[in-house]
Amino acid sequence: MAAMAQYRNIVILTGAGVSAESGIDTFRSEGGLWEQHRVEDVATPEAFARDPDLVLRFYDMRRAAIQTKQPNAAHHALARLDSTWPGNLLIVTQNVDDLHERAGARRVHHMHGEHLTAWCTACDRRPRWTGPLIERPPCPLCGASALRPDVVWFGEMPYGMDRIHAALREADLFVSIGTSGAVYPAAGFVRSARELGAATLELNLERSRGSSWFVETRLGPATELVPEWVEEVLGC
Ligand code: BJW
């Protein structure tokens, strides 16, 4: 990878791998969430319509679990980069946990939603939510019992695609961290970044499905690779 001084605008895509060492399950690794639950049963709007209790329990359990976890060295390194990088920077995370924010990162975009907000389908607002949804609590903003997990399921449109594409158009460096490249549209960002002329770097435990699109791939745990890379970028 060329000297980092030549970059100004950075887009960082993160996936479940960045939170794995905080003790949050990934989806597709051995023993991951999709081995414990069928995607079709818990992560589609059809599943929610068919068996809302099953889906709400799945998300209630994960919402409770993430609140017991702590950001790791990778989240902290990215937060440091965010707070010091003078150019444009956007951390586009597929993760629904809040570990980037708890580490101090501010320029974060949750394209697949967040565990700690709920979506009221009656008033279309998203109040902060830390407790369970299984008892169908009323929306604190409008009173309707129409709250669902504020996450993007298969077949739904990820949040803020215009913001992401605008950042990709400006980016001269695209970095992907801890994502398998199995889910679109996120899996296609590297290709867009390449076509728009950005340098591309993958940091992952194992090569992602779209690995050949990256000019450089570094393999290892995020808690080692990310702080090393951030030090390189900041020139210290
Ligand atoms: C480490 C590590 C360590 C581990 N250190 N690394 C056919 C072709 C193409 C597309 C489609 C198709 N059929 C349907 C589609 C579209 C569909 C899709 O992509 N399906 C695929 C299965 C093919 N996509 C959608 O439906 C999306 N919407 C959509 O496309 O709308 C239309 C549209 C059109 C045009 C433009 C824009 C939109 C919506 C996708 C929603 C995904 N939702 C989920 C659930 C969110 C809520 C929840 O958390 O429950 O999002 S699914 C799940 O996968 C979650 C994740 O964000 C996402 C990605 O997973 P991720 O993060 O990559 O995790 P893993 O487990 O897969 O990988 C972990 C990685 O970490 C691995 O690489 C490890 O190596 C690594 N790792 N330990 C570093 N210590």
Side-chain angles (χ1 to χ4, degrees):
M1 175 128 299
M4 295 293 171
Q6 74 180 63
Y7 303 121
R8 178 152 181 85
N9 301 326
I10 306 177
V11 173
I12 300 166
L13 174 69
T14 67
V18 81
S19 295
E21 290 164 86
S22 292
I24 298 179
D25 286 340
T26 64
F27 295 90
R28 296 169 185 81
S29 310
E30 212 180 303
L33 283 169
W34 294 160
E35 271 189 12
Q36 302 162 43
H37 306 268
R38 284 175 3 120
V39 177
E40 305 79 20
D41 291 340
V42 291
T44 64
E46 294 77 18
F48 187 52
R50 194 169 53 240
D51 192 347
D53 281 11
L54 177 74
V55 174
L56 291 175
R57 271 197 211 94
F58 175 68
Y59 284 96
D60 283 355
M61 177 193 73
R62 290 174 56 207
R63 191 180 309 104
I66 62 139
Q67 293 176 72
T68 68
K69 309 298 182 190
Q70 299 305 323
N72 65 44
H75 299 105
H76 285 295
L78 292 176
R80 180 164 166 251
L81 180 64
D82 176 37
S83 66
T84 46
W85 188 251
N88 295 337
L89 179 144
L90 186 62
I91 300 171
V92 178
T93 187
Q94 298 170 86
N95 299 343
V96 294
D97 67 55
D98 63 338
L99 296 187
H100 284 305
E101 288 89 343
R102 275 201 270 144
R106 291 290 167 266
R107 290 181 276 183
V108 181
H109 176 76
H110 284 270
M111 67 177 289
H112 290 163
E114 298 180 62
H115 272 316
L116 296 184
T117 53
W119 175 21
C120 176
T121 55
C123 71
D124 198 24
R125 285 181 286 180
R126 292 175 159 82
R128 181 169 165 82
W129 199 266
T130 55
L133 289 171
I134 188 72
E135 301 296 345
R136 313 303 198 273
C139 168
L141 302 173
C142 77
S145 284
L147 294 171
R148 58 158 269 188
D150 186 17
V151 300
V152 177
W153 288 320
F154 285 106
E156 296 184 323
M157 185 63 84
Y159 295 158
M161 291 303 298
D162 289 350
R163 183 183 184 194
I164 297 170
H165 284 304
L168 285 171
R169 277 195 297 277
E170 297 291 312
D172 37 37
L173 175 61
F174 173 79
V175 184
S176 169
I177 304 172
T179 176
S180 61
V183 175
Y184 286 83
F189 294 165
V190 59
R191 185 172 175 174
S192 304
R194 273 290 286 276
E195 287 169 356
L196 289 161
T200 53
L201 168 67
E202 171 172 39
L203 307 178
N204 206 341
L205 202 56
E206 296 170 355
R207 284 182 181 277
S208 63
R209 293 191 196 175
S211 197
S212 59
W213 283 99
F214 291 89
V215 167
E216 184 181 350
T217 295
R218 301 181 189 178
L219 297 180
T223 55
E224 290 176 17
L225 293 186
V226 178
E228 280 168 17
W229 171 70
V230 167
E231 285 200 11
E232 217 176 287
V233 175
L234 295 177
C236 47

